[in-house]
Amino acid sequence: DTAVSQTPKYLVTQMGNDKSIKCEQNLGHDTMYWYKQDSKKFLKIMFSYNNKELIINETVPNRFSPKSPDKAHLNLHINSLELGDSAVYFCASSQFQGVTEAFFGQGTRLTVV
Amino acid sequence: AQSVTQLGSHVSVSEGALVLLRCNYSSSVPPYLFWYVQYPNQGLQLLLKYTTGATLVKGINGFEAEFKKSETSFHLTKPSAHMSDAAEYFCAVSGTGNQFYFGTGTSLTVIP
C-alpha cells in the first residue's frame, strides 16, 4: 500500500482551466502539506493542515485552494491556471508537525500550455 | 526562524569515492534536521534524521550525517559512492513554526 498517494501523476491542461489534485495518506498522520517544486528543484511549502484545520498558508495566489474533507485527505484545487503554475506538486504528511519526518507522495507534474 | 543552506548545487564523485554533501542550518531553537533523497520522477524519501541524542546519525543506503551545533552543520557523507546514489539530495530543518524548511538541493552525479 502506498503511504501517501496523489492523483493524477501527470496533468496537462490549457491556460485558464480549473484542475484538482487529490492526495490521500493511510499513515494515520494528523498533518498534511502541499509543496511546489519548480524547474530548479526548489521546494516551497504552500499549505499545511492539522486535523483538517489550515495551519500554514504561505504567499500563494488565491487561485489555489486546499480542501481537507478529513485528516486523511488534502486536495488542491487550482482555478484559472497560468503558465507559471507549471511545476511538480507534492503532497506530504507527518505525525506531529515538525517533530517527525514528513512522508511524501510521488508528485503530480502539472504542465500548463 | 529556520533556514537551510546547501553548499554546492552540483557535486560529482567517482564511483567508490567519498560522498560529502554540505548543509548548514539557521535556527533559533534546537533544530530537527533531515536529509531526503529524490530520484528522477519520484517523491522525496527520508535518508536519515536528527532529533535528539547521538549526534552521528546513520541512515539508509550507507549514508550518515553528523550534527555539529557549534558549526550549525549537518553534512551528509557516504564512504563509497555507488552509481545508484545519483540523485537530488535535500537537507531540511524543522522547529517552531510547524513546517519543514528545505535547502535548494544538491544534485549528485556518480562517475563510473
Side-chain angles (χ1 to χ4, degrees):
Chain A
D1 277 350
T2 303
V4 181
S5 59
Q6 296 178 229
T7 55
K9 188 171 174 64
Y10 299 97
L11 186 53
V12 181
T13 187
Q14 291 185 327
M15 284 176 55
N17 284 351
D18 302 340
K19 291 294 179 184
S20 292
I21 306 172
K22 295 185 177 181
C23 179
E24 176 182 5
Q25 56 95 3
N26 63 8
L27 298 167
H29 290 165
D30 52 16
T31 304
M32 296 185 72
Y33 312 82
W34 277 109
Y35 282 86
K36 178 180 180 180
Q37 186 175 48
D38 63 22
S39 59
K40 295 185 178 181
K41 303 287 188 180
F42 181 66
L43 276 162
K44 177 179 167 57
I45 189 163
M46 301 173 69
F47 303 102
S48 171
Y49 269 73
N50 187 30
N51 278 324
K52 302 191 299 176
E53 183 178 337
L54 181 64
I55 299 298
I56 294 169
N57 184 356
E58 291 292 317
T59 308
V60 175
N62 59 15
R63 298 181 294 104
F64 290 79
S65 54
K67 286 187 172 50
S68 183
D70 55 61
K71 74 173 191 178
H73 295 84
L74 180 62
N75 303 323
L76 183 65
H77 188 76
I78 316 170
N79 289 328
S80 303
L81 278 155
E82 301 176 357
L83 292 176
D85 297 332
S86 296
V88 181
Y89 293 84
F90 285 101
C91 177
S93 71
S94 67
Q95 178 59 24
F96 299 109
Q97 283 185 327
V99 175
T100 62
E101 67 269 28
F103 291 76
F104 282 78
Q106 292 297 293
T108 296
R109 182 174 295 276
L110 172 66
T111 303
V112 182
V113 298
Chain B
Q2 290 82 29
S3 67
V4 169
T5 301
Q6 289 184 241
L7 296 175
S9 58
H10 293 88
V11 171
S12 293
V13 300
S14 297
E15 192 174 15
L18 171 72
V19 176
L20 171 61
L21 304 183
R22 299 178 187 275
C23 173
N24 288 88
Y25 69 91
S26 171
S27 177
S28 56
V29 296
Y32 302 112
L33 294 159
F34 308 84
W35 273 101
Y36 283 85
V37 60
Q38 184 181 25
Y39 298 105
N41 298 315
Q42 294 190 25
L44 278 72
Q45 177 183 2
L46 182 73
L47 276 177
L48 47 80
K49 64 180 178 182
Y50 169 79
T51 53
T52 59
T55 56
L56 182 61
V57 180
K58 295 189 184 298
I60 62 172
N61 301 338
F63 284 93
E64 61 182 35
E66 187 171 11
F67 170 62
K68 291 186 176 180
K69 185 177 179 180
S70 61
E71 298 177 7
T72 61
S73 69
F74 191 56
H75 301 331
L76 181 71
T77 61
K78 182 174 180 177
S80 176
H82 295 162
M83 295 299 295
S84 60
D85 294 328
E88 192 84 18
Y89 291 80
F90 293 92
C91 183
V93 62
S94 70
T96 57
N98 296 328
Q99 63 175 297
F100 295 85
Y101 296 84
F102 284 86
T104 50
T106 297
S107 178
L108 176 66
T109 299
V110 181
I111 303 166

